Amino acid sequence: MPLGLIALAIGAFGIGLTEFVIMGLLPEVATDFGVTEATAGWLISGYALSVVVGALGLTAATTRLPRKPVLLGLVVLFIAGNAITALAPDYTVAMVGRIIAALCHGAFFGIGAVVAADLVAPEKKARAIAIMFTGLTAANVFGVPFGTFLGQQWGWRTAFLVVAAVFALATLCIALFVPPHPGEPGRTLRSELGVFRIRQVWLTLGIGAIGFGGFFAVYSYIAPLVTETAGAPEWAVPIVLGLVGVGMTVGNLLGGYMAEDRKS
């Protein structure tokens, strides 16, 4: 397996932590900032909305640039965003940190998937992309439950400082192991947006919106659902998060293999 692919998976692991670790710590975040859990939930919703903006805008704006420096810039912004959230004196500053990180989310996966596919033989491209995304799903098996445990024991801010450290490692690994990768000088923002004229693109987006919408409706408030609605103890939250992560990881890997089988 190319070391560059592992480096990209580490970045995806950090993104999984950035996005999901707050869900297991929502009650602690709400208490610290003196807001309701519903208000604290906007740190999740605001992140998701910013992902949409960044995925479209940043990916299109950087498509002509060499991809390795772009990836490095994105992971550095992830470090900044998570550090700002961890050190935020109030709710507003925490939201700013979340938005900074979220804007890089979609662009990293969009650019990283192209780079990952080019690191392997043509017949292994789907599997390479699945391996990169395994970093995201593995974060839900190991990282998010562990981050939730850390946050419960030593404060939720500790979890976000650990996430920033993961991105520091990702920065080093990408710098060392991801080879230079050219951009596409002929591509423009207009040509990128042209894909929205294709009906199948809207169908795929619709399927993703429905699937992830249902998933996040539950996952965003999984901590209070487990402790307050189900009546389980606080220590059960990391276990439930880990079980969800196992399902995500298995589904991701199976999807990668099935995509290759269909192509062959």
Side-chain angles (χ1 to χ4, degrees):
M1 181 185 301
L3 291 176
L5 194 55
I6 297 175
L8 293 171
I10 293 173
F13 183 85
I15 293 176
L17 290 176
T18 301
E19 183 173 15
F20 297 122
V21 76
I22 192 173
M23 298 172 183
L25 297 170
L26 202 62
E28 288 81 1
V29 174
T31 300
D32 189 20
F33 287 136
V35 298
T36 66
E37 290 178 359
T39 300
W42 276 100
L43 293 171
I44 300 171
S45 301
Y47 184 96
L49 290 170
S50 300
V51 168
V52 175
V53 175
L56 180 61
L58 274 181
T59 304
T62 59
T63 188
R64 290 176 291 180
L65 301 176
R67 292 187 170 118
K68 181 174 179 177
V70 172
L71 288 172
L72 288 171
L74 292 173
V75 290
V76 168
L77 285 174
F78 269 115
I79 295 173
N82 282 286
I84 290 171
T85 300
L87 302 175
D90 54 45
Y91 176 85
T92 301
V93 177
M95 180 65 80
V96 171
R98 294 288 288 169
I99 291 173
I100 290 173
L103 290 173
C104 306
H105 181 125
F108 182 91
F109 280 124
I111 297 169
V114 174
V115 175
D118 285 348
L119 291 175
V120 298
E123 67 274 11
K124 296 181 179 180
K125 288 182 181 294
R127 187 178 304 183
I129 295 172
I131 290 173
M132 187 192 81
F133 274 85
T134 298
L136 174 66
T137 56
N140 288 276
V141 180
F142 307 108
V144 173
F146 181 66
T148 300
F149 173 78
L150 285 180
Q152 290 174 344
Q153 299 300 315
W154 292 286
W156 67 270
R157 297 174 187 272
T158 303
F160 279 91
L161 290 175
V162 170
V163 177
V166 169
F167 278 113
L169 174 63
T171 303
L172 177 63
C173 291
I174 291 173
L176 292 176
F177 302 126
V178 173
H181 195 286
E184 300 181 46
R187 302 296 290 272
T188 64
L189 179 59
R190 183 175 181 179
S191 64
E192 291 293 309
L193 295 178
V195 299
F196 289 108
R197 291 194 292 265
I198 303 173
R199 182 180 302 177
Q200 287 84 350
V201 170
W202 285 103
L203 178 61
T204 303
L205 289 173
I207 294 171
I210 293 170
F212 281 107
F215 172 73
F216 281 112
V218 175
Y219 203 52
S220 296
Y221 297 96
I222 196 166
L225 283 173
V226 170
T227 57
E228 298 174 16
T229 304
E234 189 178 69
W235 56 260
V237 176
I239 297 175
V240 174
L241 290 169
L243 291 173
V244 173
V246 169
M248 294 175 66
T249 301
V250 172
N252 175 67
L253 291 175
L254 285 176
Y257 285 111
M258 289 173 66
E260 287 187 352
D261 289 341
R262 289 179 62 85
K263 289 169 65 177
S264 60

